[in-house]
Amino acid sequence: MHGMPGASPMAHVSDHDTAHLAAIVASSADAILSTTTDGSIRSWNAACERMLGYSATEMIGRPVADIIPAELHEQARDIRDRIATGESVESFETVLLSKQGRPIEVSITYSPVRNPQAAVVGISAIIRDVTLTKKAERGAAMLAAIVASSSDGVVSKTLDGTITSWNKSAERIFGFSEEEMINRSIRTIIPLERQAEKDRILATVVSGEIIDNFETIRLRKDGALIDVSVTVSPVRDSHGRIIGASKIVRDITDKRQTREQLRTLLAEVNHRSKNLLSLVQAIARQMTRRGRPLDLERFLQRLQAIASNQDLLIQNDWRFIPLGGLVRSQLGAFSDLVGNRIAIDGPEIELTPEAAQAIGMAVHELATNAAKYGALSNDDGHVTLRWVRDGDDLEMIWRESGGPAVSPPTHSGFGSRVISDMVRAGLDGMVDVDFAPAGLRWHLRCPLQRLSRGSIHARR
């Protein structure tokens, strides 16, 4: 049976045996072909035709290079040279071309074909199509790479909760290494008061359902509790039976904290919006007392002063307003005079929004009054605004000089109440307003603790 795959010295092989071997080759599910040592095809079974699309009539006598991609010709010649020396090559993975030019991934076992004198006279090749196998392997490798590089913890476990896989992100999230967790119970990372969750999750998975984005609390190796979002899916074997569960774990500690902060912020915005509305209504009522018409321009100026406070509050994440920034904001209309006719000096002090509202409105009223009647109403006047920390108190002084002669007002208007009553009540402080002829002097003294309510610190 010259040229048949797997042939060896055949001096003692009967015709019956030869026919039997030929039948095996012809009916094999694997593609089997043989070539001469220089690569000319000598035999081609039915499985070759099914795999590559060529009939035996088309291929017998043709060079085997016709079914090998051009870039692999040199590799094929090297293999023929090795087989010609009597060597065998098992399960060599390469690519062949079908009649339609389609590449087919194959695994080939090459063997030398010998004559009765044991000389190598040809090469046999048993070819197996491994396209689907290689595709599955690449898919599995891709999935493995995705799991390994995922920023989420990916864990698999048996139905009794024994951990069978634990990726790098699971190590990062929980602090346990893969070696520490494989074959260990998943209960290791579940707080005692939440152990019943494991049984409920297992029951859901066994029923074939998926638990999606379940938010709960889990336990780190160092004992810290962390907020996580868990998705658990059933794992099935090749027969569709559920044999375990896969779990994707995402650390949502920062997300939950952000969500809580947002809720707090929204509640604060709602509270402050109501307070601001009440303040606007109070200003409108005070400015129209005793039937006086509303001075729209002055009303809008006061609203703008409130808005400036809100801008500073937003810039500082709704937590505090720096006193220096507040003063400069309220004196914004006179910014060209600051450093020249208006002197501002004082340490950095962080005010609560409530304290900033009271002081800001007072500074606005003082500046407006100075522009209308006081030191800023002519070209020669000066204003000095200084504040200091005196023990546990804040002392703040507004002093005017060089302006027109000052006399006490004949009646107390809304502006007067802002710079005295509103500040005094809002800050639990003492306010002194001196309408001295040489210039208005406004003096505030209040507890620093009242400005911070224990939550904001004061700094020099």
Side-chain angles (χ1 to χ4, degrees), residues 41 43-46 48-50 52-60 62 99:
I41 296 174
S43 67
W44 184 270
N45 74 345
C48 282
E49 183 173 344
R50 289 193 299 272
L52 298 167
Y54 294 100
S55 67
T57 302
E58 291 177 291
M59 293 307 294
I60 298 297
R62 286 175 63 173
K99 186 175 182 178

Side-chain angles (χ1 to χ4, degrees), residues 6 32 95 116 124 149 162 176 190 205-206 213 215-216 220 241 251 253 324-325 330 353 392 431:
I32 302 176
V95 176
S124 70
S149 61
T162 300
F176 291 99
I190 302 177
V205 169
V206 169
N213 293 323
E215 294 190 2
T216 185
R220 283 180 48 86
R241 295 173 299 197
D251 185 347
T253 302
Q330 296 301 327
D392 294 330
V431 177

Side-chain angles (χ1 to χ4, degrees), residues 117-382:
Q117 289 75 41
V120 176
V121 294
I123 301 170
S124 70
I126 300 176
I127 307 168
R128 181 162 294 173
D129 186 343
V130 295
T131 302
L132 294 179
T133 302
K134 300 304 291 183
K135 183 177 180 180
E137 288 177 358
R138 284 193 293 272
M142 179 62 74
L143 289 175
I146 290 172
V147 169
S149 61
S150 173
S151 59
D152 293 330
V154 182
V155 179
S156 62
K157 59 184 180 179
T158 61
L159 291 180
D160 67 358
T162 300
I163 295 170
T164 54
S165 70
W166 184 267
N167 76 341
K168 289 294 183 182
S169 287
E171 291 188 4
R172 174 180 54 79
I173 292 171
F174 294 106
F176 291 99
S177 68
E178 181 181 16
E179 292 74 17
E180 290 176 298
M181 293 305 290
I182 297 297
N183 295 323
R184 198 167 176 179
S185 174
I186 195 69
R187 293 184 185 274
T188 304
I189 59 171
I190 302 177
L192 288 176
E193 65 276 12
R194 292 180 177 265
Q195 290 288 326
E197 282 183 1
K198 191 262 183 187
D199 300 321
R200 292 196 299 271
I201 290 172
L202 176 61
T204 302
V205 169
V206 169
S207 71
E209 296 182 30
I210 295 175
I211 297 174
D212 192 23
N213 293 323
F214 172 62
E215 294 190 2
T216 185
I217 295 174
R218 290 295 180 258
L219 191 64
R220 283 180 48 86
K221 182 178 181 179
D222 60 9
L225 297 175
I226 56 173
D227 295 305
V228 297
S229 173
V230 179
T231 295
V232 187
S233 306
V235 174
R236 302 176 186 271
D237 64 14
S238 57
H239 302 289
R241 295 173 299 197
I242 296 173
I243 58 172
S246 66
K247 177 182 293 188
I248 298 176
V249 185
R250 177 168 296 174
D251 185 347
I252 60 170
T253 302
D254 291 342
K255 177 182 176 182
R256 179 164 287 185
Q257 288 175 348
T258 300
R259 197 161 55 200
E260 292 299 325
Q261 290 170 354
L262 181 59
R263 272 200 288 264
T264 301
L265 178 60
L266 290 175
E268 181 74 5
V269 169
N270 182 55
H271 171 70
R272 296 198 183 285
S273 297
K274 292 177 180 178
N275 283 352
L276 284 174
L277 180 59
S278 298
L279 178 60
V280 171
Q281 291 171 336
I283 292 173
R285 282 195 298 269
Q286 289 289 344
M287 293 182 69
T288 56
R289 288 182 65 185
R290 300 185 180 92
R292 286 178 298 180
L294 178 66
D295 183 342
L296 182 59
E297 182 179 354
R298 187 72 189 96
F299 178 69
L300 292 177
Q301 288 174 352
R302 284 169 173 156
L303 294 188
Q304 184 57 49
I306 298 172
S308 297
N309 288 356
Q310 294 302 108
D311 288 340
L312 287 172
L313 186 58
I314 291 171
Q315 291 169 14
N316 290 280
D317 300 326
W318 290 83
R319 295 180 293 112
F320 64 88
I321 294 177
L323 178 53
L326 174 68
V327 167
R328 287 171 176 80
S329 174
Q330 296 301 327
L331 294 176
F334 310 97
S335 58
D336 58 324
L337 301 181
V338 174
N340 180 15
R341 295 177 57 192
I342 301 177
I344 301 172
D345 183 50
E348 182 182 359
I349 297 177
E350 296 174 353
L351 305 177
T352 64
E354 293 79 7
Q357 183 170 283
I359 293 177
M361 287 291 290
V363 171
H364 172 77
E365 293 297 332
L366 287 167
T368 301
N369 185 72
K372 284 185 175 182
Y373 314 111
L376 300 181
S377 65
N378 63 17
D379 295 332
D380 303 315
H382 291 80

Side-chain angles (χ1 to χ4, degrees), residues 7-25:
S8 57
M10 305 178 71
H12 304 292
V13 177
S14 67
D15 291 341
H16 177 269
D17 291 337
T18 298
H20 182 66
L21 291 174
I24 291 174
V25 171

